[in-house]
Amino acid sequence: MKNKIIIQSIVLAIVSVIISGINSELPKEMVSYQFNMFTISTVLAGFSFTTLSMLLSMNSEERMRKLDDTSVVINKSKKIVISLIYFMISSLMSLFLILNVPKLLENIKIVVSEKIDVLGLIQRFIYYAGILSLLVGIIYFIISVYEVYDLIKRVYGISDSAKQQAKEFRKTIEQSMKK
């Protein structure tokens, strides 16, 4: 799992650098925008944590004990944890911009070239990395919620044989009522 997150984070960073290299305008109200991004990220992280808690609490149920010696619960929880990690990365990026960390870097005289706005590039990188992390987190969250739902459906749902037995039982009752 660690390698997958590291590889995805590297790809995310590369995409962020490519996007941040584009000379696009950042929102005028950056701080209030970042407060909104921070709020969204932390709320979704809370939902992910709740889903993880629900999955782990289901494990104490008798029907779920059949899965104790399998990796089903671990595999389902991996995606939830990955979504939590990306939501936290997004939250951190928003905090960096709220606290104006790029402006603090202005005191460190980074001179690459007179033509390159290093401070603006760092700010855009943090901005796009935060947005992309939020999107990746949302994707993992959606996948994990679906997988937890699927697990609940399989563990607590009615099996096909039970459905067939119920159907036959209803048919028998209907036939005996007609007589």
Side-chain angles (χ1 to χ4, degrees):
M1 181 168 102
K2 289 179 190 176
N3 292 338
K4 188 176 182 180
I5 293 175
I6 291 170
I7 290 170
Q8 288 174 346
S9 296
I10 290 170
V11 169
L12 188 66
I14 291 170
V15 170
S16 296
V17 168
I18 291 169
I19 292 173
S20 67
I22 300 169
N23 197 8
S24 60
E25 291 292 317
L26 296 176
K28 299 276 188 245
E29 301 291 325
M30 180 59 81
V31 173
S32 65
Y33 181 79
Q34 289 307 313
F35 270 115
N36 292 338
M37 290 288 292
F38 181 78
T39 302
I40 291 168
S41 296
T42 54
V43 166
L44 289 173
F47 288 151
S48 289
F49 189 73
T50 302
T51 305
L52 181 62
S53 298
M54 187 176 77
L55 178 64
L56 296 177
S57 67
M58 280 177 23
N59 204 24
S60 64
E61 302 254 347
E62 188 176 320
R63 290 182 179 183
M64 288 288 287
R65 289 195 185 138
K66 296 176 202 170
L67 301 175
D68 277 351
D69 294 330
T70 67
S71 61
V72 172
V73 175
I74 300 285
N75 289 336
K76 302 290 183 198
S77 64
K78 278 183 188 177
K79 289 187 179 79
I80 299 170
V81 171
I82 291 172
S83 75
L84 274 167
I85 290 169
Y86 279 109
F87 288 141
M88 293 293 87
I89 290 171
S90 178
S91 297
L92 283 173
M93 296 296 124
S94 293
L95 277 178
F96 285 162
L97 291 173
I98 290 169
L99 299 173
N100 210 356
V101 171
K103 191 74 171 168
L104 296 175
L105 295 174
E106 191 175 71
N107 295 332
I108 304 170
K109 300 296 180 192
I110 304 174
V111 179
V112 176
S113 169
E114 299 272 331
K115 296 179 182 179
I116 298 175
D117 177 18
V118 176
L119 185 63
L121 188 64
I122 292 170
Q123 192 173 27
R124 283 195 303 278
F125 170 76
I126 293 172
Y127 173 76
Y128 288 117
I131 290 175
L132 291 174
S133 295
L134 179 62
L135 292 176
V136 172
I138 289 171
I139 291 167
Y140 273 104
F141 177 71
I142 290 169
I143 292 168
S144 67
V145 167
Y146 175 76
E147 287 185 355
V148 169
Y149 166 72
D150 184 55
L151 180 64
I152 291 169
K153 192 169 72 174
R154 284 192 277 140
V155 170
Y156 296 106
I158 301 172
S159 66
D160 289 334
S161 63
K163 286 179 186 177
Q164 185 62 31
Q165 286 176 349
K167 194 177 202 181
E168 289 172 11
F169 182 71
R170 275 190 233 114
K171 195 179 213 180
T172 305
I173 289 176
E174 286 175 6
Q175 289 174 349
S176 63
M177 297 277 258
K178 288 180 183 178
K179 293 180 181 179

